[in-house]
Amino acid sequence: MKKVFLVVTALISLFLNSYAQKNNIDKVAAVVGNNIILLSDLNQQYTQYLYQGRPADPNIKCMLLQQTLTQKLLKQQAEIDSVMVDDAQVDDEVNRRMRYSMQRAGGQERLEQFLNKSILQYKDEMRPSIKDELIAQKMQSKITADINVTPLEVEKYFKTLGDSIPEFGTEVEIGEVILNPQLTKAEKEKFHDKIEALRLRIKGGEDFGALAKAYSEDPGSVSDGGDLGFFDRSQMAKEFTAWAFKLKAGEMSPVFETEFGYHILQVIERRGESVHARHILIMPKSTQSSLDRTKLHADSIYNNIMAKKISFAAAANLYSDNKETKYNGGMMLNAENVQARSTFIPVEKLDPAVFLVIDTMKTGGISKPTLFTAADGKQGYRILYLKSKIPPHKANLAQDYPKIKAAAQDDKTNRTLSEWFEKRRESTFIKIDDEFQDCDQLKIWTKKKAETK
């Protein structure tokens, strides 16, 4: 039965290439089982690569084909295992990437000029490949879902490093208490009035998307006319979700407030438990009076910590406005190792403003409140605590077990995936067009076939 399948698949591949050549249409770059990869799809991916500002390099097509072959192999297994993604998730990812592309291009018109096609046409072309990519990611996650490493495996992995044991630079553990200015009702009123005026203009007949582009302060959706794509109940602030799932398609909300500011939203489409909506956001700005009030509050907290009336961890829990750290004793997490919830951060990865404060502090020291500007442009006051400082050293199990465990986990995951792909390549019909015969990355895909001829 397997031989019959391979013969039939090979005949399909030969027929498609022959038909393409005779009719001067698209060419089949590769076949993986019952999945076909067209040259036009690779060219489209290469166009996206160039659009990201990278240098022209024909060899990149070899890498892109390798990635696509991997996706198709995973997709084929996903079909067998009934692993699927819903349409709303695909639409959301398409819209997210489109917003990013438009931001890079400087707007929809410039992106369409570069692509020489409309945004809608480009979305339709992107959708199948993005769906395949999401399915492949989900299938890969299923393959590696149950992989764990024991302490014995971590120790064995560390011993295999031999002379390759890494060296770590200076690392620190830092706590923070973040205080954001709280505006009074009177201070917030002008921002509420601004977005209410926009809502009335829309009710009067003006275009929602055009006003969103002109006035919204949400950097992630402003270039797309406030379009957020599809989202479910878990992805947005609770106030936002409440209105999004209450309104019918075409309806617009009144002005409402979330932690991000004031919004109005309009539902475009409802699909099951997902909503496609667009919004306008106006973010209230701090006033000097609100900053002065925050400074007094921060000074009071600092004085209480220094007088040992309250611990730093308790102060973070009670007063900090950073939800990511307040329930963690105020301790910052290493952004590159969040999954392991590591609090050890290389000094070169620190925000320069944080480094300037802690650089001259001793272990256990606490800084006076300092004014800072967050990534979103908002100002506030911050108190920092230097819990520990580890000097440069060669990795060892005693000090660096969490990092070594993560590396061992990655190694085991990669070996599991390599074994999985090797078995699937051996049992799957794979044909790659002669145009890519010189690609070193693709030799592993044809090696086993060549050896059995």
Side-chain angles (χ1 to χ4, degrees), residues 96-368:
R96 185 190 69 79
R97 295 191 190 188
M98 191 57 63
R99 286 195 295 270
Y100 174 77
S101 295
M102 286 194 288
Q103 284 176 346
R104 287 190 60 86
Q108 179 174 329
E109 290 184 6
R110 291 189 63 182
L111 180 60
E112 288 178 333
Q113 288 173 2
F114 176 82
L115 297 171
N116 197 28
K117 62 186 68 173
S118 71
I119 292 299
L120 288 177
Q121 183 182 356
Y122 189 51
K123 279 186 176 182
D124 288 341
E125 291 176 358
M126 286 176 63
R127 199 176 191 283
S129 62
I130 289 177
K131 184 174 183 178
D132 285 355
E133 184 180 331
L134 293 175
I135 291 173
Q137 289 173 1
K138 194 170 182 179
M139 185 65 226
Q140 181 167 312
S141 296
K142 181 182 177 182
I143 295 168
T144 60
D146 298 325
I147 296 176
N148 288 300
V149 288
T150 65
L152 182 59
E153 287 176 312
V154 175
E155 187 176 346
K156 285 183 177 179
Y157 168 77
F158 184 69
K159 288 179 179 178
T160 65
L161 295 177
D163 295 333
S164 301
I165 294 176
E167 293 193 9
F168 297 124
T170 302
E171 295 179 313
V172 291
E173 285 187 294
I174 300 173
E176 63 178 1
V177 175
I178 299 292
L179 299 172
N180 297 326
Q182 302 300 314
L183 301 183
T184 64
K185 185 176 180 180
E187 288 170 333
K188 292 163 69 173
E189 190 172 0
K190 68 175 183 179
F191 303 101
H192 179 281
D193 291 347
K194 179 179 180 180
I195 196 167
E196 173 63 16
L198 294 174
R199 190 184 73 85
L200 293 175
R201 288 172 64 178
I202 294 167
K203 287 194 69 175
E206 293 192 53
D207 181 67
F208 191 110
L211 290 178
K213 284 185 176 181
Y215 296 103
S216 182
E217 295 172 349
D218 174 14
S221 68
V222 62
S223 63
D224 205 19
D227 196 327
L228 296 166
F230 280 91
F231 54 88
D232 60 32
R233 295 179 186 272
S234 66
Q235 292 176 267
M236 300 293 182
K238 62 181 181 179
E239 302 90 349
F240 198 97
T241 298
W243 279 109
F245 283 85
K246 179 179 181 180
L247 299 172
K248 296 177 182 178
E251 290 183 334
M252 181 173 62
S253 73
V255 174
F256 63 93
E257 187 177 8
T258 71
E259 61 186 292
F260 303 103
Y262 289 113
H263 308 255
I264 50 175
L265 74 81
Q266 183 180 57
V267 171
I268 298 172
E269 181 183 357
R270 175 81 177 268
R271 189 181 294 173
E273 285 303 301
S274 295
V275 171
H276 181 192
R278 55 185 178 179
H279 81 138
I280 296 175
L281 169 67
I282 298 297
M283 296 188 289
K285 309 297 188 298
S286 302
T287 63
Q288 187 57 52
S289 294
S290 68
L291 284 170
D292 291 342
R293 293 193 301 270
T294 305
K295 175 67 163 60
L296 289 173
H297 184 38
D299 287 338
S300 175
I301 294 170
Y302 171 78
N303 290 332
N304 285 335
I305 294 172
M306 298 305 292
K308 302 191 183 304
K309 293 181 180 179
I310 188 172
S311 68
F312 187 90
N317 184 271
L318 288 171
Y319 304 115
S320 183
D321 290 319
N322 188 334
K323 294 181 180 179
E324 294 181 1
T325 60
K326 69 178 296 176
Y327 302 116
N328 187 38
M331 301 308 298
M332 297 181 184
L333 295 177
N334 185 340
E336 296 183 353
N337 198 11
V338 173
Q339 190 172 1
R341 296 194 64 79
S342 172
T343 55
F344 291 95
I345 306 173
V347 291
E348 66 270 15
K349 300 294 182 182
L350 286 175
D351 178 337
V354 172
F355 177 77
L356 283 174
V357 175
I358 64 102
D359 186 38
T360 56
M361 289 171 57
K362 295 181 179 180
T363 300
I366 294 173
S367 73
K368 290 183 178 180

Side-chain angles (χ1 to χ4, degrees), residues 5-41:
F5 172 75
L6 294 178
V7 170
V8 170
T9 312
L11 289 172
I12 291 172
S13 174
L14 289 170
F15 168 77
L16 286 169
N17 274 325
S18 175
Y19 182 81
Q21 290 167 6
K22 288 179 181 178
N23 293 276
N24 195 28
I25 60 174
D26 206 353
K27 180 180 180 181
V28 175
V31 177
V32 183
N34 59 355
N35 290 282
I36 294 167
I37 302 170
L38 297 176
L39 184 61
S40 61
D41 292 334

Side-chain angles (χ1 to χ4, degrees), residues 53-64:
R54 297 170 179 172
D57 182 357
N59 291 326
I60 294 298
K61 289 188 180 181
C62 297
M63 181 193 73
L64 293 173

